CSV table of all heavy atoms in Angstrom, one decimal:
chain,number,residue,atom,x,y,z
A,213,ILE,N,145.4,66.7,21.8
A,213,ILE,CA,144.3,66.4,22.7
A,213,ILE,C,143.3,67.6,22.7
A,213,ILE,O,142.1,67.3,22.7
A,213,ILE,CB,144.9,66.2,24.1
A,213,ILE,CG1,145.7,64.9,24.2
A,213,ILE,CG2,143.8,66.3,25.2
A,213,ILE,CD1,146.5,64.8,25.4
A,214,LEU,N,143.8,68.8,22.7
A,214,LEU,CA,142.8,69.9,22.7
A,214,LEU,C,142.1,70.1,21.4
A,214,LEU,O,140.9,70.5,21.4
A,214,LEU,CB,143.6,71.2,23.0
A,214,LEU,CG,144.1,71.4,24.5
A,214,LEU,CD1,144.9,72.7,24.6
A,214,LEU,CD2,143.0,71.3,25.5
A,215,PHE,N,142.7,69.8,20.3
A,215,PHE,CA,142.1,69.9,19.0
A,215,PHE,C,141.4,68.7,18.6
A,215,PHE,O,140.8,68.6,17.5
A,215,PHE,CB,143.2,70.3,18.0
A,215,PHE,CG,143.7,71.7,18.1
A,215,PHE,CD1,144.8,72.1,17.4
A,215,PHE,CD2,143.2,72.6,19.1
A,215,PHE,CE1,145.4,73.4,17.6
A,215,PHE,CE2,143.8,73.8,19.3
A,215,PHE,CZ,144.8,74.2,18.5
A,216,ASN,N,141.4,67.6,19.4
A,216,ASN,CA,140.5,66.5,19.1
A,216,ASN,C,139.1,66.9,18.9
A,216,ASN,O,138.6,67.7,19.7
A,216,ASN,CB,140.6,65.5,20.3
A,216,ASN,CG,139.9,64.2,20.2
A,216,ASN,OD1,138.8,64.2,19.6
A,216,ASN,ND2,140.4,63.2,20.7
A,217,PRO,N,138.4,66.5,17.9
A,217,PRO,CA,137.0,67.0,17.6
A,217,PRO,C,136.1,66.7,18.8
A,217,PRO,O,135.1,67.4,18.9
A,217,PRO,CB,136.6,66.2,16.4
A,217,PRO,CG,137.9,65.8,15.7
A,217,PRO,CD,138.9,65.6,16.8
A,218,HIS,N,136.4,65.7,19.6
A,218,HIS,CA,135.5,65.4,20.7
A,218,HIS,C,135.8,66.3,22.0
A,218,HIS,O,135.0,66.2,23.0
A,218,HIS,CB,135.7,63.9,21.1
A,218,HIS,CG,135.4,63.0,20.0
A,218,HIS,ND1,134.1,62.7,19.6
A,218,HIS,CD2,136.2,62.3,19.1
A,218,HIS,CE1,134.2,61.8,18.6
A,218,HIS,NE2,135.5,61.6,18.3
A,219,THR,N,136.8,67.0,22.0
A,219,THR,CA,137.3,67.7,23.2
A,219,THR,C,136.4,68.9,23.6
A,219,THR,O,136.1,69.2,24.8
A,219,THR,CB,138.7,68.2,23.1
A,219,THR,OG1,139.6,67.1,23.0
A,219,THR,CG2,139.1,69.1,24.2
A,220,LYS,N,135.9,69.7,22.6
A,220,LYS,CA,135.2,70.9,22.8
A,220,LYS,C,134.0,70.7,23.8
A,220,LYS,O,133.8,71.5,24.7
A,220,LYS,CB,134.7,71.5,21.5
A,220,LYS,CG,134.0,72.9,21.7
A,220,LYS,CD,133.5,73.5,20.4
A,220,LYS,CE,132.7,74.7,20.7
A,220,LYS,NZ,132.2,75.3,19.4
A,221,SER,N,133.2,69.7,23.6
A,221,SER,CA,132.0,69.5,24.4
A,221,SER,C,132.4,69.3,25.9
A,221,SER,O,131.7,69.7,26.8
A,221,SER,CB,131.2,68.4,23.9
A,221,SER,OG,131.9,67.1,24.0
A,222,HIS,N,133.5,68.6,26.1
A,222,HIS,CA,134.0,68.3,27.5
A,222,HIS,C,134.5,69.6,28.1
A,222,HIS,O,134.2,69.9,29.3
A,222,HIS,CB,135.1,67.3,27.5
A,222,HIS,CG,134.6,65.9,27.0
A,222,HIS,ND1,133.5,65.3,27.5
A,222,HIS,CD2,135.1,65.2,26.0
A,222,HIS,CE1,133.4,64.1,26.9
A,222,HIS,NE2,134.3,64.0,25.9
A,223,VAL,N,135.2,70.5,27.4
A,223,VAL,CA,135.6,71.7,27.9
A,223,VAL,C,134.4,72.6,28.2
A,223,VAL,O,134.4,73.4,29.2
A,223,VAL,CB,136.6,72.4,27.0
A,223,VAL,CG1,137.1,73.8,27.5
A,223,VAL,CG2,137.9,71.5,26.8
A,224,GLU,N,133.5,72.6,27.4
A,224,GLU,CA,132.2,73.4,27.6
A,224,GLU,C,131.5,72.9,28.9
A,224,GLU,O,130.9,73.7,29.6
A,224,GLU,CB,131.3,73.3,26.4
A,224,GLU,CG,131.8,74.1,25.2
A,224,GLU,CD,130.9,73.9,24.0
A,224,GLU,OE1,130.2,72.9,23.9
A,224,GLU,OE2,131.0,74.8,23.1
A,225,GLY,N,131.6,71.6,29.2
A,225,GLY,CA,131.0,71.1,30.4
A,225,GLY,C,131.8,71.7,31.6
A,225,GLY,O,131.1,72.0,32.6
A,226,ILE,N,133.1,71.8,31.5
A,226,ILE,CA,133.8,72.4,32.6
A,226,ILE,C,133.4,73.9,32.8
A,226,ILE,O,133.1,74.3,34.0
A,226,ILE,CB,135.3,72.4,32.3
A,226,ILE,CG1,135.8,70.9,32.3
A,226,ILE,CG2,136.1,73.2,33.4
A,226,ILE,CD1,137.3,70.8,31.9
A,227,ARG,N,133.2,74.6,31.7
A,227,ARG,CA,132.8,76.0,31.8
A,227,ARG,C,131.4,76.1,32.5
A,227,ARG,O,131.1,77.0,33.3
A,227,ARG,CB,132.8,76.6,30.4
A,227,ARG,CG,132.3,78.1,30.4
A,227,ARG,CD,132.5,78.7,29.1
A,227,ARG,NE,131.7,78.1,28.0
A,227,ARG,CZ,131.8,78.4,26.7
A,227,ARG,NH1,132.6,79.3,26.3
A,227,ARG,NH2,131.1,77.7,25.9
A,228,HIS,N,130.5,75.2,32.1
A,228,HIS,CA,129.2,75.1,32.6
A,228,HIS,C,129.2,74.9,34.1
A,228,HIS,O,128.5,75.6,34.9
A,228,HIS,CB,128.3,74.0,31.9
A,228,HIS,CG,126.9,73.9,32.4
A,228,HIS,ND1,126.0,74.9,32.2
A,228,HIS,CD2,126.3,72.9,33.1
A,228,HIS,CE1,124.8,74.5,32.7
A,228,HIS,NE2,125.0,73.3,33.3
A,229,GLU,N,130.0,73.9,34.6
A,229,GLU,CA,130.1,73.6,36.0
A,229,GLU,C,130.7,74.8,36.8
A,229,GLU,O,130.3,75.1,37.9
A,229,GLU,CB,130.9,72.4,36.2
A,229,GLU,CG,130.2,71.1,35.8
A,229,GLU,CD,128.9,70.9,36.5
A,229,GLU,OE1,128.8,71.2,37.8
A,229,GLU,OE2,127.9,70.4,35.9
A,230,LEU,N,131.7,75.5,36.2
A,230,LEU,CA,132.3,76.6,36.9
A,230,LEU,C,131.3,77.7,37.1
A,230,LEU,O,131.3,78.4,38.1
A,230,LEU,CB,133.5,77.1,36.1
A,230,LEU,CG,134.8,76.3,36.2
A,230,LEU,CD1,135.8,76.8,35.2
A,230,LEU,CD2,135.3,76.3,37.6
A,231,LYS,N,130.4,77.9,36.1
A,231,LYS,CA,129.4,79.0,36.2
A,231,LYS,C,128.4,78.6,37.4
A,231,LYS,O,128.1,79.5,38.1
A,231,LYS,CB,128.6,79.1,34.9
A,231,LYS,CG,127.6,80.2,34.9
A,231,LYS,CD,126.8,80.3,33.6
A,231,LYS,CE,125.9,81.5,33.6
A,231,LYS,NZ,124.9,81.5,34.8
A,232,LYS,N,128.1,77.4,37.5
A,232,LYS,CA,127.2,76.9,38.6
A,232,LYS,C,127.9,77.2,39.9
A,232,LYS,O,127.2,77.8,40.9
A,232,LYS,CB,126.9,75.4,38.5
A,232,LYS,CG,125.9,75.0,37.5
A,232,LYS,CD,125.7,73.5,37.6
A,232,LYS,CE,124.7,73.0,36.6
A,232,LYS,NZ,124.5,71.6,36.7
A,233,LEU,N,129.2,76.9,40.0
A,233,LEU,CA,129.9,77.1,41.3
A,233,LEU,C,130.0,78.6,41.6
A,233,LEU,O,129.9,79.0,42.8
A,233,LEU,CB,131.3,76.4,41.2
A,233,LEU,CG,132.1,76.4,42.5
A,233,LEU,CD1,131.3,75.7,43.6
A,233,LEU,CD2,133.4,75.7,42.2
A,234,ILE,N,130.3,79.4,40.6
A,234,ILE,CA,130.4,80.8,40.8
A,234,ILE,C,129.1,81.4,41.3
A,234,ILE,O,129.0,82.3,42.2
A,234,ILE,CB,130.8,81.6,39.5
A,234,ILE,CG1,132.3,81.2,39.2
A,234,ILE,CG2,130.7,83.1,39.6
A,234,ILE,CD1,132.8,81.7,37.9
A,235,ASP,N,128.0,80.9,40.7
A,235,ASP,CA,126.6,81.4,41.2
A,235,ASP,C,126.4,81.0,42.7
A,235,ASP,O,125.9,81.8,43.4
A,235,ASP,CB,125.5,80.8,40.3
A,235,ASP,CG,125.5,81.3,38.9
A,235,ASP,OD1,126.1,82.4,38.7
A,235,ASP,OD2,124.9,80.7,38.0
A,236,ILE,N,126.8,79.8,43.1
A,236,ILE,CA,126.6,79.4,44.4
A,236,ILE,C,127.5,80.3,45.4
A,236,ILE,O,127.0,80.7,46.4
A,236,ILE,CB,127.0,77.9,44.6
A,236,ILE,CG1,126.0,77.0,43.9
A,236,ILE,CG2,127.1,77.5,46.1
A,236,ILE,CD1,126.4,75.6,43.8
A,237,ILE,N,128.7,80.6,44.9
A,237,ILE,CA,129.6,81.4,45.8
A,237,ILE,C,129.0,82.8,45.8
A,237,ILE,O,129.0,83.5,46.9
A,237,ILE,CB,131.0,81.4,45.1
A,237,ILE,CG1,131.6,80.1,45.2
A,237,ILE,CG2,131.9,82.5,45.8
A,237,ILE,CD1,132.9,79.9,44.5
A,238,ASP,N,128.5,83.4,44.7
A,238,ASP,CA,128.0,84.7,44.7
A,238,ASP,C,126.8,84.9,45.7
A,238,ASP,O,126.7,85.9,46.4
A,238,ASP,CB,127.5,85.1,43.3
A,238,ASP,CG,128.7,85.5,42.4
A,238,ASP,OD1,129.8,85.8,43.0
A,238,ASP,OD2,128.5,85.6,41.2
A,239,THR,N,125.9,83.9,45.7
A,239,THR,CA,124.7,83.9,46.5
A,239,THR,C,124.9,83.4,47.9
A,239,THR,O,124.1,83.5,48.8
A,239,THR,CB,123.6,83.1,45.9
A,239,THR,OG1,124.0,81.8,45.7
A,239,THR,CG2,123.2,83.8,44.5
A,240,ARG,N,126.1,82.8,48.2
A,240,ARG,CA,126.4,82.1,49.5
A,240,ARG,C,125.3,81.2,49.9
A,240,ARG,O,124.8,81.2,51.0
A,240,ARG,CB,126.7,83.2,50.5
A,240,ARG,CG,127.8,84.1,50.2
A,240,ARG,CD,128.0,85.2,51.3
A,240,ARG,NE,128.4,84.7,52.5
A,240,ARG,CZ,129.7,84.4,52.9
A,240,ARG,NH1,130.6,84.6,52.0
A,240,ARG,NH2,130.0,83.9,54.0
Side-chain angles (χ1 to χ4, degrees):
I213 290 169
L214 290 178
F215 292 171
N216 183 325
H218 302 280
T219 292
K220 181 182 176 183
S221 62
H222 298 304
V223 177
E224 288 176 339
I226 294 175
R227 181 171 62 184
H228 179 68
E229 289 299 323
L230 284 174
K231 184 178 184 306
K232 284 184 180 179
L233 188 56
I234 290 171
D235 289 342
I236 292 172
I237 293 171
D238 281 343
T239 59
R240 301 178 65 85

